[in-house]
Amino acid sequence: MLSLLETLINGLLLGALYALFGIGLSLSLGVMRMINIAHGDLIVLGAYLSSVIVLNTDLDPLSSLLIVIPMMFVIGWLLQKLLFNRVMGRDPLSPLLLTFGLSIVIQNLLQELFSADTRSLPAGDLALQGIELGGVNIGVLPLISAGISVLAFLFVAHLINRSPIGSAVRAVADDQETARLVGVNDRRLFAYMAGFVLVTVAVASVLYGMRTPFSPTAGPERLIYSFEAVVLGGLGNLWGTFFGGLIIGVAQLLGARIDTGLGPFFGHLVFLVVLIARPEGLFKAGRA
Amino acid sequence: MLRVEQLSAYYGLFQALFEVDLRVDEGECMALIGANGAGKSTLLRSLVGAVKVSADSVQFDGEAVGGASERKQLKRGITLVPEGRRLFPSLSVRENIELAQRHGRPGRWDTELLFQELPALAEVQNRPATALSGGQQQLVAISRALVTNPRLLLCDEVSLGLSPYAVDEVYRLLNMARQDGMSVVLVEQNVQRALAEADRFYCVQKGRVVLDGVAAEADHHAVANAYFGV
Amino acid sequence: MKSSKILAMLVLLGVLVALPWIGGYATQRLMVEVFTLYAIALAWNLLAGYGGIVAVGQHVFIGIGAYSLFFLSTSFGLNPWLMLPAAVVITALFALLFALPMFRLRGAYFAVGTWVLAEITRIAVLNSDWLGAGAGMPLSTMMGITRWLRNAGIYWAALAVGVGSLGVVWWLLRGRLGLALLSVRDNEAAAAASGVNVLRTKVILWLVAAAITGLAGAVAYMNTLQVTPSASFSLNWTAAAIFIAVLGGIGTLEGPLIGVLVYFLLREMFSSYGSWYFIVLGCIAILTMLLAPGGAWSLLTRRRPLDPFGIRRMLS
Ligand SMILES: Nc1ncnc2c1ncn2[C@@H]1O[C@H](COP(=O)(O)OP(=O)(O)O)[C@@H](O)[C@H]1O
Ligand SMILES: [Mg+2]
């Protein structure tokens, strides 16, 4: 019973990280109407960037974010400017296929630069520390990463719902053509958004790399988990993505209790079952 | 102020406008009349850059501006109130108007002035824009255009589906703008009303201008013929 | 003119059929890959180019087709060639089952949703001891067959898959379904309003594409005599199909043909470069989407007036 509770809590903590993976995907799907197939590979790229910094400086992974975040912002901005903006508004398939190509390029570049071996970010003492709560043992690192995820969601929700730039973002999400009519520079907005999406990816990638070993081909799985979180939560619903992530995390860890190899299987299964039962997602579509 | 010369517009391979010529003078109100599908909306959308046309076909203050982006036209002072209002449902009334104001030109018209002139809107300013009645939504849509302080305001079917009282409200707001010297282009299904409000008019039929003249002197038979394409 | 064309086609077909007597085993094995991958790309192109449905998880049907064949043939000791139709039927049945959740999604969501499908199926197979789990299954019923006959037989099956799938797709697109597809592709709402059952049309397309892919997968793995979950349910299959279709020209019948030739040419010349080879492939796909979304076929028809309707020339 106690161990079930522990699994549940750990599942929620893992799910919070998946939610953080999904936040950027949710934004690009909801606002730019595009799915970035390379989203997961960019998460892995962020982890490698951090790893390179950690190996070559005395920074620890979390402080490496000071460098990784600006780098990822620039990468996102450039990708949008140079690639994605050129195929947007053509038909929904073009961005998808283009980012599919990008995914292959990133995976193989990582492979070429860093070999196919797995590596991980040194979490130091954090990895070992745990809190004992009524017989349930909770890792400090998962707790910190879940906390950061919640903060990230609060921040993004505030940005979208309360700030002037957020109203431009919502306007574009509602009706891009009319947003252009009132003077919104949609392409520039998209470039900044893509940069911002990669900032969330940067944060997610370092937290991910600290708790799980990664390799150049780990991206697609991250994309799929992010995607499941977004769809489960209901399209265009930011907090829905958060809860979608939690559900996937819990499903995976509960599944892994049944059979260690079947964790992701149960995550996918929950996703498919929900899709059949509630195609619009679990939560009502809300703002952005 | 505005000269349209030999303007042709396409949707893919489909040609919606054929060598249209017309002009709008400073401070004037021009009515654009024509049946459904004649190409009125396309013409207005060409003027603001939402439909791409050749540079020479649209001249604003003598400058060739056809095909420029919506943003550039907005900065020059050409603003469209789109057909069907097209308010942003995720934005409140105030956010709808303020968003446009931020991207428009500086000038007398701003959100506060409009709320002062339209107290009924001020009361619902924090409600989602599409939760309002049709008449109020239309007032928001026009406000959204006015706060960009245009020199030329293009109105696409702003009275469609509104109650007579709401129509009067809409025209009261438009006339306030005209008293400021704004030029206005009206696309109207209600031909009587359009001719009553406008100085001059053009009839569009199947993508071509087939009749034009001074509104007060319009021959209603000729207009009806041009409208129905008899 | 017309009859000389037919004669050329017959000669080409004759040469292809006679290949086992002309070429060595290596050539035959390569050609099996060419024909099966062509069929897979054609199926992907049928979905994407004619139905507007992108399936990133199309490789799920490769695995299902291959495993159906291996399981039936090995467990019951049946001739593998005779099990090919069964593999088609089983794949189509799975496709029907998968349609239930998948067709609740649209566009990009459908695309990635099919990927989830492929993942869940891969994990299920990986954990199924009766399917050999991670080690996979051998095709032991091939043991008694002479090497020459085995290679030739697989090659002929692949040839039939390649030619047959082109025939099926061509026949499908020329018929009523083709007309329905055209109207759906142009304007889905208008097509629905004029009585086209959009969902049914798309599901039929999905089933046909799945059946072709399953068959091609089964034949492709006859060639290797061993099927494993990681290889048969691998995204690489779909990636190759997408590359071929995008490069050749999405939504044309000629596209996959050109694409598959280019793909194997590149592979035979450069695949020894490892990662760099894939980086270049990815870049080619990206550049194609940016600069020539119509693929190689659109470029060819732009220079030389091969386009019978002249539509592309007017647009460009
Ligand atoms: N987005 C579009 N794509 C293709 N054709 C269009 C589009 N918008 C309008 N049309 C066509 O262009 C013609 C003119 O339409 P429109 O300008 O909306 O007419 P009006 O505003 O006078 O009713 C019509 O035949 C219409 O079908
Ligand atoms: Mg109109």
Side-chain angles (χ1 to χ4, degrees):
Chain A
M1 190 56 220
L2 219 53
S3 82
L4 189 68
L5 187 67
E6 194 169 297
T7 308
L8 203 67
I9 291 173
N10 283 328
L12 289 174
L13 297 180
L14 177 65
L17 183 61
Y18 290 166
L20 193 56
F21 290 165
I23 204 169
L25 202 67
S26 180
L27 284 176
S28 26
L29 273 166
V31 181
M32 303 190 248
R33 305 278 137 122
M34 69 167 270
I35 190 159
N36 183 353
I37 299 282
H39 186 76
D41 305 299
L42 289 164
I43 294 174
V44 177
L45 173 70
Y48 272 102
L49 286 180
S50 168
S51 159
V52 169
I53 292 165
V54 169
L55 287 177
N56 292 300
T57 64
D58 352 309
L59 294 176
D60 60 82
L62 283 179
S63 17
S64 78
L65 277 173
L66 288 174
I67 307 174
V68 177
I69 285 180
M71 282 175 86
M72 292 292 273
F73 180 89
V74 171
I75 291 175
W77 188 86
L78 281 175
L79 283 176
Q80 188 73 34
K81 269 275 195 237
L82 298 179
L83 300 179
F84 307 161
N85 270 347
R86 289 168 198 253
V87 293
M88 306 233 338
R90 199 194 275 163
D91 61 81
L93 307 184
S94 296
L96 191 141
L97 296 176
L98 188 136
T99 54
F100 191 84
L102 182 67
S103 158
I104 292 173
V105 171
I106 294 176
Q107 276 180 41
N108 286 283
L109 266 179
L110 291 177
Q111 190 130 355
E112 190 61 38
L113 292 174
F114 304 110
S115 86
D117 303 340
T118 56
R119 55 166 89 183
S120 52
L121 296 176
D125 294 342
L126 276 182
L128 308 171
Q129 285 170 14
I131 307 175
E132 177 96 13
L133 261 183
V136 179
N137 200 7
I138 307 165
V140 168
L141 183 60
L143 213 54
I144 290 178
S145 73
I148 292 179
S149 171
V150 172
L151 286 179
F153 270 85
L154 285 171
F155 176 71
V156 173
H158 185 84
L159 201 68
I160 299 276
N161 290 323
R162 298 269 176 270
S163 74
I165 197 134
S167 67
V169 166
R170 275 177 288 144
V172 172
D174 280 349
D175 184 344
Q176 189 175 353
E177 213 176 301
T178 308
R180 290 173 61 86
L181 278 183
V182 301
V184 176
N185 187 343
D186 51 352
R187 310 226 144 194
R188 198 177 64 183
L189 187 70
F190 285 171
Y192 285 123
M193 272 194 72
F196 180 73
V197 162
L198 282 213
V199 168
T200 69
V201 162
V203 176
S205 64
V206 167
L207 295 174
Y208 155 63
M210 284 167 72
R211 62 180 290 172
T212 320
F214 50 91
S215 72
T217 49
E221 255 181 31
R222 309 301 122 195
L223 166 72
I224 291 181
Y225 301 158
S226 325
F227 173 78
E228 288 173 339
V230 172
V231 176
L232 270 187
L235 313 177
N237 180 342
L238 193 64
W239 284 103
T241 298
F242 183 76
F243 292 110
L246 296 188
I247 291 169
I248 297 294
V250 170
Q252 286 191 358
L253 291 198
L254 284 180
R257 274 172 72 98
I258 298 169
D259 183 326
T260 31
L262 287 182
F265 177 88
F266 279 92
H268 302 324
L269 192 66
V270 166
F271 168 77
L272 291 175
V273 168
V274 170
L275 208 53
I276 293 172
R278 279 185 67 98
E280 70 282 6
L282 287 172
F283 309 99
K284 216 173 110 265
R287 286 188 158 186
Chain B
M1 168 161 69
L2 176 84
R3 274 197 108 73
V4 171
E5 279 175 359
Q6 298 285 304
L7 178 131
S8 297
Y10 300 83
Y11 293 106
L13 292 177
F14 173 77
Q15 184 165 7
L17 293 177
F18 299 82
E19 292 121 36
V20 169
D21 289 312
L22 53 79
R23 66 165 216 278
V24 181
D25 296 331
E26 199 80 49
E28 152 178 87
C29 177
M30 186 266 263
L32 208 55
I33 295 164
N36 251 332
K40 307 178 298 293
S41 299
T42 306
L43 178 55
L44 298 194
R45 287 159 49 74
S46 309
L47 299 183
V48 293
V51 172
K52 295 294 170 226
V53 293
S54 76
D56 291 335
S57 57
V58 182
Q59 289 171 25
F60 195 62
D61 289 340
E63 194 189 348
V65 299
S69 71
E70 291 94 326
R71 240 167 345 108
K72 291 223 172 92
Q73 305 298 58
L74 205 67
K75 290 285 177 219
R76 289 195 173 98
I78 313 178
T79 302
L80 171 68
V81 183
E83 190 171 5
R85 307 189 279 265
R86 307 283 287 262
L87 300 180
F88 302 112
S90 307
L91 271 60
S92 68
V93 169
R94 176 178 274 278
E95 284 174 326
N96 261 280
I97 301 174
E98 280 181 341
L99 177 70
Q101 185 181 331
R102 267 202 306 282
H103 293 94
R105 290 148 47 98
R108 189 170 94 83
W109 292 90
D110 63 14
T111 314
E112 304 315 323
L113 175 70
L114 276 154
F115 283 152
Q116 208 177 313
E117 295 289 344
L118 303 165
L121 281 195
E123 258 168 52
V124 294
Q125 57 176 287
N126 292 320
R127 302 250 298 271
T130 46
L132 311 187
S133 71
Q136 285 186 325
Q137 284 191 40
Q138 192 64 68
L139 291 176
V140 177
I142 295 173
S143 304
R144 199 173 61 176
L146 287 177
V147 293
T148 66
N149 289 289
R151 292 177 52 209
L152 175 62
L153 180 68
L154 311 173
C155 300
D156 201 347
E157 315 251 17
V158 284
S159 67
L160 195 68
L162 302 190
S163 69
Y165 169 76
V167 174
D168 287 339
E169 277 286 282
V170 161
Y171 276 104
R172 194 177 65 81
L173 187 57
L174 287 180
N175 282 323
M176 272 173 9
R178 288 195 59 199
Q179 272 151 27
D180 259 19
M182 234 178 255
S183 307
V184 175
V185 173
L186 283 180
V187 165
E188 256 296 346
Q189 285 296 325
N190 183 341
V191 179
Q192 302 281 344
R193 182 84 196 223
L195 291 176
E197 298 285 343
D199 302 314
R200 284 184 314 110
F201 73 95
Y202 290 86
C203 286
V204 189
Q205 192 186 103
K206 294 190 184 138
R208 292 187 164 84
V209 170
V210 289
L211 186 70
D212 68 274
V214 175
E217 301 163 3
D219 172 352
H220 286 231
H221 264 299
V223 171
N225 284 349
Y227 188 102
F228 292 113
V230 192
Chain C
M1 187 65 203
K2 195 89 185 168
S3 60
S4 73
K5 237 181 206 168
I6 292 173
L7 191 70
M9 296 278 270
L10 284 177
V11 169
L12 180 66
L13 200 62
V15 170
L16 286 176
V17 171
L19 189 81
W21 289 282
I22 310 165
Y25 293 140
T27 319
Q28 286 178 53
R29 298 173 77 81
L30 177 65
M31 292 308 281
V32 171
E33 286 192 75
V34 172
F35 284 126
T36 50
L37 202 49
Y38 168 71
I40 295 162
L42 188 69
W44 188 88
N45 181 43
L46 176 70
L47 280 179
Y50 293 92
I53 318 168
V54 170
V56 180
Q58 198 193 340
H59 48 283
V60 67
F61 299 124
I62 308 261
I64 292 176
Y67 267 97
S68 306
L69 171 80
F70 277 55
F71 177 74
L72 290 176
S73 180
T74 302
S75 355
F76 303 111
L78 297 166
N79 181 311
W81 281 270
L82 294 181
M83 289 301 104
L84 285 175
V88 171
V89 172
I90 293 173
T91 313
L93 286 177
F94 268 97
L96 198 61
L97 178 71
F98 291 159
L100 202 63
M102 280 308 113
F103 278 88
R104 303 191 169 230
L105 296 172
R106 302 172 61 86
Y109 298 98
F110 182 98
V112 183
T114 60
W115 200 352
V116 175
L117 219 51
E119 269 304 290
I120 194 172
T121 316
R122 182 183 65 82
I123 302 174
V125 172
L126 189 64
N127 287 280
S128 301
D129 291 328
W130 57 284
L131 291 174
M137 298 179 98
L139 195 56
S140 42
T141 41
M142 283 288 193
M143 290 310 172
I145 302 167
T146 67
R147 186 160 180 220
W148 189 90
L149 194 59
R150 195 179 72 215
N151 274 287
I154 295 169
Y155 167 76
W156 283 322
L159 177 62
V161 169
V163 176
S165 58
L166 176 61
V168 166
V169 170
W170 182 77
W171 171 79
L172 209 65
L173 292 177
R174 281 178 55 100
R176 268 183 43 193
L177 190 84
L179 277 180
L181 282 175
L182 273 185
S183 62
V184 170
R185 184 166 69 165
D186 286 348
N187 186 338
E188 192 163 321
S194 60
V196 175
N197 188 334
V198 176
L199 182 64
R200 190 171 144 265
T201 311
K202 288 190 170 180
V203 172
I204 291 177
L205 216 57
W206 168 249
L207 295 182
V208 172
I212 292 177
T213 310
L215 179 62
V219 174
Y221 277 94
M222 281 170 96
N223 210 16
T224 62
L225 297 178
Q226 176 82 20
V227 63
T228 62
S230 54
S232 63
F233 289 97
S234 160
L235 179 66
N236 290 347
W237 284 104
T238 306
I242 292 181
F243 179 80
I244 289 170
V246 166
L247 191 74
I250 298 177
T252 66
L253 274 186
E254 301 86 352
L257 213 52
I258 301 172
V260 83
L261 294 179
V262 176
Y263 176 82
F264 276 96
L265 211 67
L266 288 175
R267 202 188 77 171
E268 293 306 298
M269 293 194 315
F270 302 115
S271 67
S272 54
Y273 292 89
S275 304
W276 283 113
Y277 162 69
F278 288 104
I279 293 169
V280 170
L281 280 195
C283 289
I284 292 177
I286 292 173
L287 287 176
T288 310
M289 289 316 298
L290 282 180
L291 305 175
W297 181 248
S298 77
L299 293 181
L300 284 176
T301 49
R302 193 183 300 172
R303 292 225 188 89
R304 288 192 293 141
L306 285 175
D307 186 290
F309 308 109
I311 292 174
R312 287 198 194 89
R313 285 169 59 77
M314 284 170 74
L315 277 174
S316 60

